[in-house]
Amino acid sequence: MTIQECYQQLGGNFVQVEQRLSSVRLVRRFITKFLDDRSFSELCQAMQEGQRDKAFRAAHTLKGVCANLGFDRLGASAGRLTELLRPENDGIPEEAAPILNTVKHDYEVTVDAIRAYLNSERQSEC
């Protein structure tokens, strides 16, 4: 799998991120680091605990990371959740649950595509 195929699979914009980061090597480096990013797990934990403020910050961070890396599909779903959580109120709106499920699905697709790309790259080095 090429990095372009990886981006196609995860619903991203490789051309845009390559222009921003100026090299495939840097894109690879940053998508590898994405696997260690904690914003998704922090989002899930905050949602489970009903902590709207923390969930908002985590969703907003995830959206921003996705924007920088060209992960358009995941960034869009994280953005919808961010906007739903933005108003300051005491709890998490009921409408957040289905959007969180979409974020989870998009996150899994993204992570699976990155791992498949990295695994295929390792295998080609052997």
Side-chain angles (χ1 to χ4, degrees):
M1 170 186 286
T2 66
I3 196 164
Q4 293 85 352
E5 292 168 331
C6 171
Y7 265 79
Q8 185 175 19
Q9 189 173 348
L10 61 80
N13 189 331
F14 175 74
V15 172
Q16 202 173 54
V17 76
E18 183 183 31
Q19 289 172 348
R20 187 176 315 114
L21 296 178
S22 74
S23 79
V24 173
R25 186 179 59 76
L26 278 177
V27 175
R28 183 195 183 284
R29 181 172 156 201
F30 284 110
I31 67 170
T32 301
K33 286 184 176 208
F34 178 78
L35 298 175
D36 296 325
D37 182 78
R38 302 240 338 116
S39 55
F40 175 74
S41 61
E42 290 169 1
L43 169 63
C44 292
Q45 182 176 356
M47 291 289 288
Q48 184 177 8
E49 295 172 356
Q51 298 179 344
R52 189 210 51 82
D53 236 16
K54 287 183 181 181
F56 168 77
R57 283 193 305 276
H60 191 270
T61 299
L62 181 61
K63 179 184 90 166
V65 169
C66 290
N68 287 330
L69 294 176
F71 297 167
D72 295 345
R73 183 183 306 141
L74 177 56
S77 59
R80 285 192 301 278
L81 187 57
T82 298
E83 292 311 311
L84 186 63
L85 296 171
R86 184 178 296 279
E88 293 191 25
N89 56 36
D90 290 335
I92 294 176
E94 287 181 28
E95 314 88 80
I99 299 173
L100 178 62
N101 287 336
T102 301
V103 171
K104 286 179 179 180
H105 174 265
D106 294 345
Y107 181 83
E108 289 172 14
V109 168
T110 300
V111 167
D112 288 347
I114 293 169
R115 287 184 178 138
Y117 163 68
L118 294 174
N119 286 336
S120 70
E121 192 177 67
R122 282 186 212 114
Q123 289 174 356
S124 69
E125 290 174 357
C126 295

